[in-house]
Amino acid sequence: MISRRNFLHASLLGAGAMAFSRPDRLLAAPGKPPMRFIFLHRGNGLFPKVMVPPSFDEKRMAQENRKEAYEVDLDGHDLPQWMSPLADHVDNLTILQGLSGKMCTTGHHSWCSSLGVYKANERISSIKWATVDFELARLFPSPVEHIELACFPLDGGNARGSLDGIAQGFSARGPQQPNYAYGSPRVALTELFKTVAESKAAQAEYQLDRMLLEFVAENETAAARGLVGGEKSKLTSYSDSIEMIRTRNSKIDAMADVIRQHVPELDPKYLDPEVNTFDRQVGHTEVLLGALISGLTNVVAFTVDELGHHYTGIPGIEGEKVNMHDVGHGKTIGGLAAEEIRDRCRHHHMTLVERIVARLKSVPEAGGTMFDNTMIFYFPDSGETHHSHGTEFPFVVLAGDNCPLDLGRRYIRLPSYGQAGHKTLGNWYTTLLNAYGNPIDHFGALDVGLKTINQKGPIERFLT
């Protein structure tokens, strides 16, 4: 965990962190709403078998069991029970199977791997480039650029931080530049909406931060006069970062009236330091919605859990502290089998997704709704199982009507690992980036095991 002052310092060290992106990469035309992207990722794997609609006939199930490529229109099919909260949004729903990610770190912990498509091991030096969520944020600039929320492990001594901390997250701004995530709804609410905070203490703290920036800016400018060469270059970069944050703050100040209208009004239970995991996830979701609807950001990454997390608040065993690592090894806890615990957690995650979709569908925008310009992704950090190999990364995708990809009301299984036409996480993210204006040839590292398959480029199936 790090303090606010250290968080500010860390933000300054990453040149351009939390600042506006280059205007030449802005895709949305003036007056056209930006696209929004929400990445919800979870630890402990996501079994491909639980993604399959139970109403599929024997022929489809035989194809599924052989992992053959096929597609099915979801109209008239039952969703898996844990996805039932999404029943009213099937037209926007795609269940995507068959992507691999063996070029990522798999197994217990993936850190930035599943969003960056490279091996990462919780060392800053292992971060090779910006994760896909940051690349998308740069296509659709906003005052805060990107927001990351997380349910860090609750146990003391973990490098991730504590329940209330601000700590290194699972996204990256660039090479060796980890992002920072808010560990609780209380801290996220305080930090993101402090510009319009009503309490005198919060306003005083915000003004103190502003004064700190001004002081640092003045001193860095004065110090630069006596430097030359590399040292001057470093200090100039540092000063540029300060200036970008000051610019960001000015933009946010100008939005104060709009932001004030969308400050989440959270029940006190979501702000309690001892909030249970399910409520904590709901609180984070409300902060996420407030940040998107107010225009603070267009991209959010939300780690709903990770393997080291001890869940609390699971229905039926509310009083238990559930070690998700034990669940991964199939242990029965509080009388509930591990698969049932997984199911109840997944179901709750879908209630979060439904909350986001329903809320954004209620917000008018440009003749439609905010959801028309939104994509939501739910997927596992490290692949298909607890001790995953990365051969499959299942995705639940919700996409609005203005999404340029051919998605919606589909169950899609792509060719399985090693088969002709097989696709990876890198292909999937390349598809997203290409569709929204970044012509990158390929995002992420290649899989050295797929020597006979052309791994580069987008998945043409999705491009309209």
Side-chain angles (χ1 to χ4, degrees):
M1 182 177 67
I2 60 177
S3 68
R4 170 184 281 105
R5 295 292 176 261
N6 287 335
F7 179 54
L8 177 61
H9 179 69
S11 298
L12 295 174
L13 288 177
M18 304 179 71
F20 287 99
S21 304
R22 299 200 318 265
D24 60 297
R25 297 188 68 180
L26 176 60
L27 179 66
K32 182 179 179 181
M35 288 299 297
R36 289 98 178 181
F37 304 91
I38 306 165
F39 292 83
L40 292 92
H41 49 106
R42 56 90 38 100
N44 214 12
L46 183 58
F47 298 154
K49 66 181 181 181
V50 306
M51 310 288 286
V52 183
S55 52
F56 279 5
D57 59 23
E58 290 185 9
K59 177 182 176 181
R60 292 301 184 197
M61 288 307 301
Q63 287 181 294
E64 179 65 33
N65 291 334
R66 292 192 297 268
K67 297 189 184 298
E68 294 178 356
Y70 70 98
E71 290 189 26
V72 174
D73 189 323
L74 288 175
D75 187 34
H77 281 286
D78 298 328
L79 296 177
Q81 188 279 332
W82 65 274
M83 289 189 202
S84 60
L86 304 180
D88 291 339
H89 308 294
V90 170
D91 284 348
N92 304 109
L93 171 65
T94 299
I95 302 172
L96 178 58
Q97 297 252 56
L99 297 169
S100 70
K102 289 177 74 68
M103 73 294 294
C104 302
T105 298
T106 56
H108 278 167
H109 296 285
S110 68
W111 200 26
C112 301
S113 288
S114 62
L115 287 167
V117 193
Y118 51 76
K119 293 191 181 298
N121 56 12
E122 298 199 74
R123 292 191 179 97
I124 292 176
S125 60
S126 70
I127 301 176
K128 295 179 176 63
W129 45 72
T131 48
V132 67
D133 45 344
F134 264 94
E135 291 293 350
L136 288 165
R138 286 160 186 158
L139 292 172
F140 299 93
S142 61
V144 184
E145 185 180 29
H146 177 289
I147 289 171
E148 186 171 355
L149 307 166
C151 289
F152 295 125
L154 306 182
D155 301 300
N158 189 289
R160 282 274 167 230
S162 69
L163 173 62
D164 276 330
I166 298 173
Q168 287 183 12
F170 289 74
S171 298
R173 303 187 297 269
Q176 300 182 32
Q177 296 179 61
N179 193 43
Y180 291 87
Y182 300 108
S184 76
R186 181 178 64 82
V187 170
L189 184 67
T190 300
E191 291 295 320
L192 292 172
F193 296 94
K194 61 188 175 184
T195 58
V196 295
E198 294 182 359
S199 74
K200 292 182 179 180
Q203 273 296 324
E205 196 158 14
Y206 174 59
Q207 293 303 323
L208 184 60
D209 284 346
R210 296 294 296 272
M211 292 169 63
L212 175 63
L213 275 176
E214 298 299 326
F215 174 79
V216 172
E218 291 175 5
N219 280 270
E220 297 298 340
T221 300
R225 297 191 189 108
L227 296 177
V228 295
E231 291 304 315
K232 183 173 183 178
S233 177
K234 289 179 183 178
L235 197 57
T236 299
S237 176
Y238 190 78
S239 298
D240 287 346
S241 298
I242 295 173
E243 186 56 38
M244 282 187 277
I245 293 178
R246 293 167 74 190
T247 300
R248 177 208 65 182
N249 287 344
S250 296
K251 298 282 187 179
I252 293 175
D253 287 347
M255 297 169 57
D257 289 342
V258 175
I259 295 172
R260 191 172 290 109
Q261 296 174 34
H262 300 291
V263 176
E265 296 183 5
L266 298 183
D267 186 286
K269 69 179 180 180
Y270 300 123
L271 306 177
D272 189 329
E274 301 301 322
V275 60
N276 71 53
T277 304
F278 273 35
D279 286 341
R280 183 181 176 195
Q281 292 168 342
V282 172
H284 270 321
T285 301
E286 287 298 316
V287 172
L288 175 159
L289 283 164
L292 288 169
I293 295 171
S294 68
L296 276 175
T297 191
N298 296 321
V299 179
V300 179
F302 179 13
T303 303
V304 292
D305 63 33
E306 59 173 301
L307 188 58
H309 190 83
H310 287 186
Y311 260 78
T312 53
I314 298 175
I317 51 173
E318 289 88 346
E320 297 279 349
K321 182 179 285 189
V322 178
N323 184 330
M324 295 308 288
H325 185 268
D326 289 344
V327 171
H329 282 274
K331 293 185 179 180
T332 296
I333 301 173
L336 288 184
E339 186 50 46
E340 178 62 23
I341 293 173
R342 283 179 174 273
D343 186 77
R344 295 187 187 188
C345 291
R346 290 193 306 264
H347 182 272
H348 178 66
H349 298 163
M350 292 302 100
T351 69
L352 305 178
V353 173
E354 198 284 329
R355 180 185 290 251
I356 295 168
V357 174
R359 186 77 57 80
L360 295 181
K361 282 185 174 182
S362 74
V363 180
E365 183 174 72
T369 72
M370 276 191 70
F371 181 72
D372 290 337
N373 305 298
T374 300
M375 291 190 75
I376 304 170
F377 310 90
Y378 175 80
F379 61 102
D381 275 335
S382 56
E384 70 283 359
T385 60
H386 173 68
H387 288 292
S388 63
H389 299 288
T391 53
E392 293 195 61
F393 276 76
F395 272 75
V396 175
V397 183
L398 279 295
D401 290 347
N402 293 335
C403 170
L405 299 176
D406 182 14
L407 295 168
R409 214 176 69 183
R410 295 280 195 281
Y411 178 94
I412 301 174
R413 175 166 277 288
L414 299 171
S416 65
Y417 189 78
Q419 291 183 355
H422 175 70
K423 301 301 179 183
T424 68
L425 280 178
N427 297 126
W428 176 227
Y429 294 154
T430 300
T431 305
L432 295 176
L433 292 170
N434 286 182
Y436 288 106
N438 183 337
I440 188 171
D441 179 51
H442 185 76
F443 179 85
L446 300 179
D447 181 349
V448 296
L450 294 173
K451 297 178 181 178
T452 62
I453 294 176
N454 180 11
Q455 298 179 53
K456 292 189 175 182
I459 305 173
E460 295 293 340
R461 153 69 184 80
F462 296 119
L463 296 177
T464 57

